[in-house]
Amino acid sequence: MEHPMDHITPQRQRSPELEQAFAHLAGLAASADLAGISDPLLQFVAVIRALMPRYGDVGAPPNLEGIEVVPVDADGVPAEWVLAPNADPAHRLVYIHGGGWIGGCPRDYRALAGTLAMLSRAAVLMVDYRLAPEHRFPAGLDDCVTAFRWASRHGPDPHRQGGHEAQVHLSLVGDSAGGNLAAATCLELVAGGARVPDRLVLIAGTLDNQSPADRAGIDDQVATAESLAAATVAYLGPDGDPSDYRVSPVRASRALLAGFPPTLLQVSAIETLAYDSRKFAGLLADAGVRVNLSTWPELPHVWHAFLGLFPDATDALQEIADFVNASIDR
């Protein structure tokens, strides 16, 4: 069984920070307890679940003083509001975490979500969707659609919802597999004639899961071709169809993509999923959607989590905050 960190790109000069990040992730992958697990796919699940709780834990953690976490039931989907002291209850941001559809939870994202909440002044709803392989497609997607619709009607304060639904500014953000789920959620909303996000942000989303030959990273120790393929099998099951546009949003029709809101895609230039972001950005632009493709050099997959190591982590979250705030009249 190949761990996500086993693939090494030789003869390439890395920054000390990138080396540190990759070494940290390799150590987490190696710490996975595989005792008694003989199935390679379940070994992969165990590795990802060992990675996620401490994914970006390098260097000093950010100062989250004043951040409040409020657990909620979003029409049957567990979730939590992450609130900065200056949060505007009518400015809401639904965040869908990554983890290959098989790992991760809102708790793993407290530092990232808290920082984004402070920078954006939005009430951030972290969705605790069901994970594969225990709950395969479309269970997690259904949860994300439900939670997004709930957030359009319910704010962080049940006694002060922040105005009528039409006055609520609502953005949707997802990273990695969460970027896949965010794009698929938007497709489901468009297809159903429901309210779509005011702004959509996809961070290194896995958007073409038919694994095309051109999908190759320059130096990616996390989202390798092998790990992406394994995650897709875990998500869909052995008989699942990766060409379904809700699994590979690049397969969506132009008519559905035309219903998307202004969209920001962020990705590292050296990672495998740069292929997905570039392809999807082109399709959105062709469908008449306002799209920003923001490519960052020499960074690991979802570098946003490495707030104590890369200044680019805070800078990228600031870019997201500025993007989702741009259409709000303060």
Side-chain angles (χ1 to χ4, degrees), residues 141-289:
L141 174 58
D142 290 343
D143 288 349
C144 294
V145 173
T146 296
F148 179 85
R149 288 175 166 165
W150 181 88
S152 72
R153 306 186 307 272
H154 302 85
D157 184 347
H159 304 294
R160 183 169 57 90
Q161 294 296 332
H164 187 271
E165 182 178 346
Q167 299 172 311
V168 170
H169 188 276
L170 184 59
S171 296
L172 179 60
V173 181
D175 72 84
S176 195
N180 169 278
L181 289 167
T185 294
C186 202
L187 287 167
E188 292 282 69
L189 295 168
V190 173
R195 175 182 177 168
V196 299
D198 295 295
R199 295 290 167 103
L200 175 66
V201 180
L202 307 177
I203 302 169
T206 170
L207 302 168
D208 187 352
N209 292 297
Q210 289 188 290
S211 300
D214 293 341
R215 193 195 209 191
I218 295 172
D219 190 4
D220 191 343
Q221 307 302 295
V222 183
T224 64
E226 295 79 8
S227 66
L228 290 168
T232 302
V233 171
Y235 182 44
L236 297 180
D239 300 321
D241 180 9
S243 70
D244 186 316
Y245 71 82
R246 297 168 298 167
V247 178
S248 292
V250 298
R251 307 299 170 195
S253 69
R254 189 176 187 275
L256 285 177
L257 294 176
F260 270 47
T263 300
L264 168 66
L265 297 99
Q266 292 181 328
V267 72
S268 170
I270 64 173
E271 68 173 310
T272 304
L273 292 170
Y275 172 91
D276 298 52
S277 292
R278 290 168 183 150
K279 184 170 184 178
F280 199 59
L283 292 169
L284 288 175
D286 183 65
V289 176

Side-chain angles (χ1 to χ4, degrees), residues 21 28 55 72 96 103 105 120 124 133 135 154 173 189 211 235 291 306 311 313 321:
L28 291 179
Y55 184 85
V72 291
I96 304 175
C105 68
S120 65
V124 177
H135 305 281
H154 302 85
V173 181
L189 295 168
S211 300
Y235 182 44
V291 58
F306 290 88

Side-chain angles (χ1 to χ4, degrees), residues 18 105 131 191 228 324:
L18 186 59
C105 68
L131 299 176
L228 290 168
V324 301

Side-chain angles (χ1 to χ4, degrees), residues 83-96:
L83 308 169
N86 61 350
D88 177 355
H91 178 22
R92 302 171 194 164
L93 187 158
V94 176
Y95 194 106
I96 304 175

